[in-house]
Amino acid sequence: ESSAAQLAANEREAAWREMAKQVAHEIKNPLTPMRLTVQSFQRKFDPGDPDVVKKLEEYSNTLIQQIDTMSSIASAFSTYAQMPAQQDETLNVVKITKLALDIFNEDYIYFFSEEEDLIAKFDRTQLIRVITNLVKNSIHAIEQRAPEHPRIEVHVYPEGANAVITVQDNGIGVIEANKAKVFEPKFTTKTSGMGLGLGMVKKIVETYEGTIYFDSEEGKGTTFKVAFPRKL
């Protein structure tokens, strides 16, 4: 028992060390252009330059952009670190899913539900976060593959004692080597972003006693399935 407890403690410590390295790496990325911008400003700034206002605005915009990047990094890690507050909010899963999809402009997103009402206990904000993260993930997968007829289907339906939401796309799919890493907090195939989306989704779903899994075929697409208890 003592050895098992020590092993668990060591694994937690290693996980936090890995997360700390990731945070440091992501924060250093915007710091370099910020430093170069300030150094360039110091060397080249001339109060008598007729374009001084324009140049000052360019310097300021560059710094503000990098500060916003750092802010989004902090927010992403902060969001992942927080356990979702478990609200006793009774809501209509069909209605909230439609609401979450309203923010997307892509005309290849289709919604299907044979039910008008599917009631469950779930925090509204957290459920919207789950859906938007999955749909954003599908949009990214489609952009990587660029199929002739892009399509994302979102289905909501009851299954036994559960409410189920599936998000299916015909994007690039997940290669075999990456399947085990999909829900890891720092894993991402994107060139930008924190890779916290699907890790956070899994954390939220499990907080509400639900499950999430996916089925994917490389070059053909991916389906994510989220299931959680519904109110019978």
Side-chain angles (χ1 to χ4, degrees), residues 73-150:
I73 289 165
S75 296
F77 278 100
S78 174
T79 300
Y80 184 74
Q82 293 168 0
M83 283 296 286
Q86 200 160 355
Q87 301 281 348
D88 251 359
E89 190 171 1
T90 302
L91 48 77
N92 183 349
V93 179
V94 178
K95 183 180 174 183
I96 298 302
T97 304
K98 282 182 183 175
L99 184 69
L101 296 178
D102 280 347
I103 68 164
F104 296 100
N105 296 320
E106 287 76 10
D107 59 4
Y108 53 78
I109 299 174
Y110 300 89
F111 175 76
F112 300 93
S113 177
E114 292 182 4
E115 310 286 326
E116 286 188 16
D117 298 299
L118 191 54
I119 308 302
K121 283 190 176 180
F122 212 110
D123 179 82
R124 174 187 296 254
T125 305
Q126 301 293 359
L127 183 56
I128 289 173
R129 185 177 287 176
V130 167
I131 296 158
T132 52
N133 268 279
L134 291 176
V135 174
K136 281 179 183 177
N137 195 67
S138 286
I139 291 169
H140 175 68
I142 280 174
E143 287 171 349
Q144 283 185 303
R145 184 185 169 209
E148 187 179 348
H149 301 290

Side-chain angles (χ1 to χ4, degrees), residues 35-227:
R35 182 182 177 85
L36 292 172
T37 300
V38 173
Q39 286 174 333
S40 175
F41 180 79
Q42 286 175 324
R43 284 196 312 271
K44 297 178 181 178
F45 183 66
D46 176 9
D49 188 331
D51 291 330
V52 65
V53 175
K54 182 184 176 185
K55 287 182 178 176
L56 185 59
E57 188 179 352
E58 287 173 357
Y59 285 132
S60 300
N61 287 341
T62 302
L63 288 174
I64 289 167
Q65 190 177 26
Q66 299 305 325
I67 289 166
D68 286 345
T69 300
M70 292 179 74
S71 177
S72 67
I73 289 165
S75 296
F77 278 100
S78 174
T79 300
Y80 184 74
Q82 293 168 0
M83 283 296 286
Q86 200 160 355
Q87 301 281 348
D88 251 359
E89 190 171 1
T90 302
L91 48 77
N92 183 349
V93 179
V94 178
K95 183 180 174 183
I96 298 302
T97 304
K98 282 182 183 175
L99 184 69
L101 296 178
D102 280 347
I103 68 164
F104 296 100
N105 296 320
E106 287 76 10
D107 59 4
Y108 53 78
I109 299 174
Y110 300 89
F111 175 76
F112 300 93
S113 177
E114 292 182 4
E115 310 286 326
E116 286 188 16
D117 298 299
L118 191 54
I119 308 302
K121 283 190 176 180
F122 212 110
D123 179 82
R124 174 187 296 254
T125 305
Q126 301 293 359
L127 183 56
I128 289 173
R129 185 177 287 176
V130 167
I131 296 158
T132 52
N133 268 279
L134 291 176
V135 174
K136 281 179 183 177
N137 195 67
S138 286
I139 291 169
H140 175 68
I142 280 174
E143 287 171 349
Q144 283 185 303
R145 184 185 169 209
E148 187 179 348
H149 301 290
R151 188 175 180 88
I152 294 172
E153 292 187 7
V154 180
H155 293 256
V156 176
Y157 57 92
E159 187 175 76
N162 287 332
V164 175
I165 302 170
T166 63
V167 179
Q168 181 179 0
D169 65 67
N170 61 345
I172 197 167
V174 182
I175 64 171
E176 201 63 40
N178 288 341
K179 285 185 177 179
K181 305 175 190 174
V182 161
F183 294 112
E184 288 182 9
K186 63 174 187 162
F187 175 73
T188 180
T189 59
K190 299 177 185 178
T191 53
S192 62
M194 303 310 312
L196 296 180
L198 291 174
M200 182 182 69
V201 166
K202 186 172 190 287
K203 190 173 182 181
I204 292 170
V205 171
E206 289 179 349
T207 298
Y208 291 90
E209 299 179 354
T211 58
I212 179 170
Y213 74 90
F214 70 95
D215 184 40
S216 185
E217 191 173 346
E218 188 180 353
K220 290 194 174 179
T222 303
T223 302
F224 277 90
K225 179 179 179 179
V226 174

